[in-house]
Amino acid sequence: MIARAIVLLALLLLSPAGHAQQFGPAMLPIRADDGDLMTNHAVTAEQMAKLERLPGKVSVGNPKGDVSLFQFYDLNCPFCREAARDVDELVRTDRALRLIFVPYPTLSVQSVEGARVELAVRELATPRKFLEFHRKIYAGRGLIDGARALAAAQELNIDQRKIIEIANAPRITETMKEHALFGTAIKLIATPAYVIQGVAVLGHPGLEPLRGMVRSVRTCKAVMC
């Protein structure tokens, strides 16, 4: 199964994350669907360029979309599970959106195991199939670990032997380290977190606020017009 020793090494390098709540001041008055202000802060142009070069991202929307929305998530974050439904609806209904998943396992060894499988599936499946895999992982209840992620991949007839081989490869460890270091650098102390048009938003605001941010970027090239 997934190599535990390497998993623990990767986990020690990950920054802590938390629930979808307030973690600091809001640079912009972005409100969640319940009216609460969402913590958010600026991401520099240099950091945005580095994000575009980050390995291990999975683009499941329009690769040539007019707006790019990055989601950092942990498979075992309950708010990420809730957000998955909204994000799925967003990408399904907005064919011009470039939605990019960035696995960001911060909560447990099991999360890191699941992320290893995700990153392996990324190398073996099309973006559309990866999105289907992502849905299947979240379809059940309880802890998501390497075995559960492998079971979801098996349902889609993705070669388990190849998944395990890739998941334990040193490059997967290096990719997770890069995600961890980048997330730390741009202060993503909560999951899920979103990065859009030079702004990081901590926590899940809900479907309509996400749509509003995307709409604003299209209108005035800013998260809020």
Side-chain angles (χ1 to χ4, degrees):
M1 191 56 74
I2 308 304
R4 289 272 183 168
I6 298 176
V7 163
L8 286 168
L9 174 61
L11 183 66
L12 290 172
L13 295 171
L14 300 179
S15 60
H19 293 175
Q21 59 188 17
Q22 285 302 301
F23 296 93
M27 178 184 74
L28 298 172
I30 299 171
R31 293 191 179 274
D33 49 15
D34 62 2
D36 285 346
L37 279 172
M38 300 296 299
T39 296
N40 62 89
H41 58 264
V43 178
T44 68
E46 182 180 0
Q47 289 169 331
M48 289 299 298
K50 187 172 182 179
L51 177 55
E52 289 287 354
R53 299 192 300 270
L54 201 66
K57 305 186 307 296
V58 187
S59 178
V60 298
N62 185 339
K64 298 181 179 179
D66 58 352
V67 177
S68 296
L69 175 66
F70 297 83
Q71 187 200 47
F72 287 71
Y73 63 95
D74 183 299
L75 289 172
N76 286 301
C77 161
F79 294 96
C80 298
R81 184 186 293 269
E82 292 177 14
R85 293 189 294 269
D86 289 342
V87 169
D88 196 41
E89 177 69 8
L90 182 64
V91 74
R92 186 183 68 80
T93 56
D94 188 341
R95 299 302 178 88
L97 177 66
R98 179 176 174 244
L99 175 66
I100 306 99
F101 288 137
V102 186
Y104 189 51
T106 62
L107 296 177
S108 66
V109 171
Q110 289 82 6
S111 295
V112 176
E113 289 179 350
R116 282 184 171 277
V117 175
E118 278 196 295
L119 289 167
V121 169
R122 170 189 171 273
E123 295 189 16
L124 297 169
T126 64
R128 179 175 294 183
K129 198 164 190 177
F130 182 92
L131 182 56
E132 188 177 353
F133 165 73
H134 194 74
R135 291 174 183 140
K136 282 188 176 296
I137 286 179
Y138 279 128
R141 302 177 65 180
L143 190 69
I144 298 171
D145 57 11
R148 181 162 161 184
L150 279 169
Q154 186 175 33
E155 289 185 45
L156 296 173
N157 297 315
I158 303 172
D159 190 314
Q160 291 219 340
R161 182 187 60 78
K162 289 182 180 178
I163 290 175
I164 293 171
E165 179 182 348
I166 294 170
N168 284 309
R171 68 178 180 277
I172 298 298
T173 301
E174 291 305 313
T175 293
M176 289 197 296
K177 287 180 183 177
E178 289 197 47
H179 289 191
L181 292 171
F182 182 82
T184 298
I186 66 169
K187 302 176 183 178
L188 300 185
I189 62 170
T191 54
Y194 300 88
V195 179
I196 178 172
Q197 199 69 16
V199 176
V201 180
L202 305 187
H204 180 58
L207 177 58
E208 291 309 318
L210 283 177
R211 281 178 170 156
M213 287 187 280
V214 171
R215 187 164 52 246
S216 291
V217 173
R218 288 193 175 119
T219 301
C220 64
K221 302 300 182 184
V223 172
M224 295 192 75
C225 294

